[in-house]
Amino acid sequence: MVTGSPTSPLGESFPDVLEAARAGAGWAFEKLFRSLATPVAGYLRAQGLHDPDGGANETFLRVFRGLATFHGPEDKFRSWVFTIAHHLVVDERRSQSRRPATAELTDEVHRLVDDDDHTERVVGDDRVQRLLSQLPAAQRDVLLLRFVADLSIEDVADSVGRRPGAVKALQRRGLAGLRALLERESLSGGVSP
């Protein structure tokens, strides 16, 4: 057995926290939740989920129910959690497509969990939300998983069920689309980029 195993952002070795969570230790569930809840909520907020904090809770309920099936290191755990969050977004989109259209509330206040968390501020920004909403869903999914969830191309490909080359193409088109939207906004006298 190797001693002095590296610690993770969890404050303890990931395998130890994972095993404790599988055994039902509340402190381990809390550590896993706290390590990723803010970025998951930010991802869900950027995806336009009506209740991103509730969505993060639902994501972690699904994670905790499936802990016995997860095997891998901490970076794969992060990817697995965001895959589950992405599936929640897909489920929500399907559910929304079956419902009658409703009027959205304006002036929704985005509560920041941590003032130091730049990602939360960025994806909570109305302008960013508006720009992202103008992209095709597949491009938006890839950009958010790459830049908000900080997943690799390969992990995004696993999450969205596409090949890495397709993910790269979607990322490239999504960034080009955002650039074009910002240029159009700038030319029309809107807020400058």
Side-chain angles (χ1 to χ4, degrees), residues 116-134:
D116 295 330
D117 188 352
H118 178 70
T119 301
E120 276 292 308
R121 286 189 302 243
V122 169
V123 297
D125 182 86
D126 289 336
R127 180 175 177 229
V128 173
Q129 290 285 343
R130 183 177 41 75
L131 291 170
L132 286 171
S133 72
Q134 295 177 60

Side-chain angles (χ1 to χ4, degrees), residues 17-89:
V17 174
L18 184 62
E19 265 319 300
R22 285 181 177 149
W27 66 266
F29 288 125
E30 182 178 352
K31 282 188 178 270
L32 292 172
F33 178 81
R34 288 189 186 277
S35 71
L36 291 172
T38 299
V40 167
Y43 169 73
L44 296 173
R45 181 172 290 110
Q47 284 286 20
L49 224 65
H50 174 69
D51 179 11
D53 294 328
N57 290 337
E58 176 62 27
T59 297
F60 277 92
L61 281 174
R62 293 178 184 187
V63 166
F64 294 150
R65 285 184 193 132
L67 274 181
T69 65
F70 174 78
H71 300 286
E74 189 171 0
D75 62 329
K76 291 300 176 192
F77 179 77
R78 180 183 180 89
S79 176
W80 183 62
V81 169
F82 276 96
T83 298
I84 292 170
H86 177 71
H87 290 166
L88 185 78
V89 169

Side-chain angles (χ1 to χ4, degrees), residues 35-187:
S35 71
L36 291 172
T38 299
V40 167
Y43 169 73
L44 296 173
R45 181 172 290 110
Q47 284 286 20
L49 224 65
H50 174 69
D51 179 11
D53 294 328
N57 290 337
E58 176 62 27
T59 297
F60 277 92
L61 281 174
R62 293 178 184 187
V63 166
F64 294 150
R65 285 184 193 132
L67 274 181
T69 65
F70 174 78
H71 300 286
E74 189 171 0
D75 62 329
K76 291 300 176 192
F77 179 77
R78 180 183 180 89
S79 176
W80 183 62
V81 169
F82 276 96
T83 298
I84 292 170
H86 177 71
H87 290 166
L88 185 78
V89 169
V90 171
D91 292 346
E92 178 72 16
R93 285 180 187 154
R94 285 183 186 142
S95 175
Q96 289 293 330
S97 71
R98 295 182 195 122
R99 291 185 197 149
T102 58
E104 261 190 55
L105 295 176
T106 58
D107 300 322
E108 180 181 35
V109 177
H110 296 288
R111 196 169 42 105
L112 297 179
V113 176
D114 181 356
D115 285 336
D116 295 330
D117 188 352
H118 178 70
T119 301
E120 276 292 308
R121 286 189 302 243
V122 169
V123 297
D125 182 86
D126 289 336
R127 180 175 177 229
V128 173
Q129 290 285 343
R130 183 177 41 75
L131 291 170
L132 286 171
S133 72
Q134 295 177 60
L135 293 176
Q139 292 175 13
R140 182 175 58 243
D141 292 346
V142 166
L143 291 179
L144 291 172
L145 286 169
R146 284 284 291 138
F147 301 113
V148 174
D150 196 28
L151 298 182
S152 69
I153 293 286
E154 292 77 18
D155 289 340
V156 172
D158 289 343
S159 294
V160 298
R162 294 181 184 254
R163 294 184 180 190
V167 169
K168 288 177 185 178
L170 286 167
Q171 177 179 318
R172 189 172 46 254
R173 280 182 258 158
L175 291 172
L178 282 176
R179 191 174 304 113
L181 289 168
L182 288 168
E183 288 172 5
R184 191 174 325 137
E185 186 179 82
S186 178
L187 291 174

